Amino acid sequence: MADREPAGSPKAAPKDTTSGRSYTVGSVAHALHLIDHVVSGPPAGMSLAELTASMGLSKSSTYALARTLVDHGYLQSVGQPPRYQLGMTLVRLGDHALSAIPLSDICRPVLVKLSQETGLTSRAAVNDNGYPMFIARVDAPGAIRFHTPLGVRELPHTSSAGKAMLASMPAERVQQIIEDSGLPARTAKSITSLADLTADLEVTRQRGFAVDDEEDDPGVFCLGAAFYRFGPEPVGAVSATGIKQDRATRHIEALGRSVRAAADEITQLLTGQETR
Amino acid sequence: MADREPAGSPKAAPKDTTSGRSYTVGSVAHALHLIDHVVSGPPAGMSLAELTASMGLSKSSTYALARTLVDHGYLQSVGQPPRYQLGMTLVRLGDHALSAIPLSDICRPVLVKLSQETGLTSRAAVNDNGYPMFIARVDAPGAIRFHTPLGVRELPHTSSAGKAMLASMPAERVQQIIEDSGLPARTAKSITSLADLTADLEVTRQRGFAVDDEEDDPGVFCLGAAFYRFGPEPVGAVSATGIKQDRATRHIEALGRSVRAAADEITQLLTGQETR
DNA sequence: AACAGTGTTCTGTAATACCGAACAATCCGA
DNA sequence: TCGGATTGTTCGGTATTACAGAACACTGTT
């Protein structure tokens, strides 16, 4: 998020070489921002005019950037007048990047089973310095599609996967992680004090799984459990997500046991056989 | 495919402003090529020195490009000395791009069933001007992992998905597609003449599914069937992939019926309910 | 220790990414 | 049917900056 220009001044800061240089290529940064804007734009895609407005660059420059990205398949322009949306190259690269994480392949069949058992959307995350970074998702057959994209990190203290991982870490490490992330409130129910968090983690340990009761998203309910390979530091966590009102999320104990079992199965797969 | 430079001349063409300008941003193109090199490099990642060698740029320029990509999560540098590999942003973007294609969500459960029935890796592709562009993949539980990334196009005449789609197109349209793609031989068994292709498509029509018998990859066997929405022009195709020698690929008729049934089921889902 | 590799930082300059304006091609409502 | 407003595309000129090259820091090896 710490970026160069908030697209405020049209002429850009002329001499920002104050102290330390940044060693980044400006036009490339512009291009990647362009992609970001397409992502956060409407699904139908964005017109050049819209992109130009959001970029803070001239029309012709935006055009050249978009052309370059289209030429390489990072964007595709559909229709006439063209609307820019994400291209197939990104699908290819994302798939490739995912396949480099053997964990995602290992987790997927387990998640399929978990979703069948619970009727919920189940996901797996790797431990990214205390943050859960999601690398696999399996939607339940009839379930509502959640907006839970892969490749994103959630907060350690508001997600069930995050709390599941924190619960099996020493208090010192938890504090270190929270110092980095802070305890921002995502909803009214979010945990915002270290004392509350440690209490919640203690409950989590005794219960065997973590609960996120509308702490990250209003109306969304999550259960999570961590899995391991060697020491107590968790490798990652699985989570099951549902709507709070659904009857499927009533029997928390039973669902929690399923999540716990799924995590244990992944632990088994990781420690039993060699990953490679 | 029509690209600027095959990275041949190290200094690039200095004055290519001969007739028509290209309207592309050079440094962005460099950055995307850098990503390409990381993709085709070893899974462990590439060092800066290796990248510099493959890029035809100076070390410092390559460094600046890599830094920029790392800053945005397109690459990640692991270890010390750093090795560059694909980053999580690409996972996020790829997932986002895929989710913009509703077909992929519709196909996945059908493919799961198909893989369970056949024990093969099953995939779904959309019709991209006659080329099959793969948007979903489900590996069979115990199956060998094929190198079949999503987001890539296969050739119309060497893939079972491609031939399945061609088989339900008028001869005129087939010819038009083949004029674009040509009939390059991927293996010794590949079809290389239009006469052979039309004969094969006729067999495909009568059989109800397409067969790729080591025509795209030596030792790899594929069955495919197209699915539809409105007219006869297919929307896409499903395919099941296996190793030629496996006993699983013996009973071609039975497997073909499963593939055919899966495709029909998708057609049903597409025509029955509204996609959106 | 000296060396042969790395990756990182620095400076000048030539190239080019950017802007602004003009052009073309649509889609409106009048 | 016609303007008029909006879109996308093309075109020079100039100031910015992306680039090369060399110097620096760092690590492991002979």
Side-chain angles (χ1 to χ4, degrees), chain A residues 42-82:
Chain A
M46 295 180 76
S47 69
L48 179 61
E50 292 167 333
L51 285 174
T52 302
S54 65
M55 286 287 294
L57 286 176
S58 74
K59 208 182 4 170
S60 48
S61 302
T62 308
Y63 180 68
L65 289 172
R67 282 278 290 210
T68 309
L69 291 170
V70 168
D71 283 350
H72 290 256
Y74 282 66
L75 297 181
Q76 57 188 148
S77 79
V78 305
Q80 191 69 275

Side-chain angles (χ1 to χ4, degrees), chain B residues 33-178:
Chain B
H33 282 139
L34 189 84
I35 294 177
D36 281 344
H37 287 126
V38 172
V39 170
S40 51
M46 294 181 76
S47 69
L48 179 62
E50 292 169 332
L51 285 174
T52 303
S54 66
M55 285 288 294
L57 286 175
S58 73
K59 208 180 7 169
S60 51
S61 302
T62 308
Y63 180 68
L65 289 171
R67 282 278 289 212
T68 309
L69 291 169
V70 169
D71 283 351
H72 290 256
Y74 282 66
L75 297 181
Q76 59 188 148
S77 78
V78 304
Q80 192 68 278
R83 302 196 72 79
Y84 295 97
Q85 44 190 239
L86 297 187
M88 279 299 168
T89 297
L90 288 172
V91 173
R92 194 186 92 235
L93 296 176
D95 185 58
H96 195 98
L98 251 196
S99 68
I101 306 170
L103 244 182
S104 64
D105 283 326
I106 295 171
C107 289
R108 217 165 283 119
V110 178
L111 295 181
V112 168
K113 206 197 302 176
L114 180 58
S115 279
Q116 285 174 345
E117 279 179 27
T118 61
L120 303 175
T121 296
S122 52
R123 297 183 290 158
V126 294
N127 179 2
D128 183 16
N129 294 314
Y131 293 78
M133 158 83 79
F134 287 90
I135 57 161
R137 177 189 61 229
V138 171
D139 292 312
I144 310 98
R145 290 276 133 74
F146 289 95
H147 184 62
T148 54
L150 300 181
V152 296
R153 300 197 322 182
E154 289 189 350
L155 286 169
H157 69 291
T158 64
S159 63
S160 64
K163 292 202 289 184
M165 298 194 304
L166 292 181
S168 54
M169 294 178 183
E172 181 190 49
R173 175 117 177 77
V174 171
Q175 192 161 356
Q176 173 191 353
I177 290 166
I178 295 304

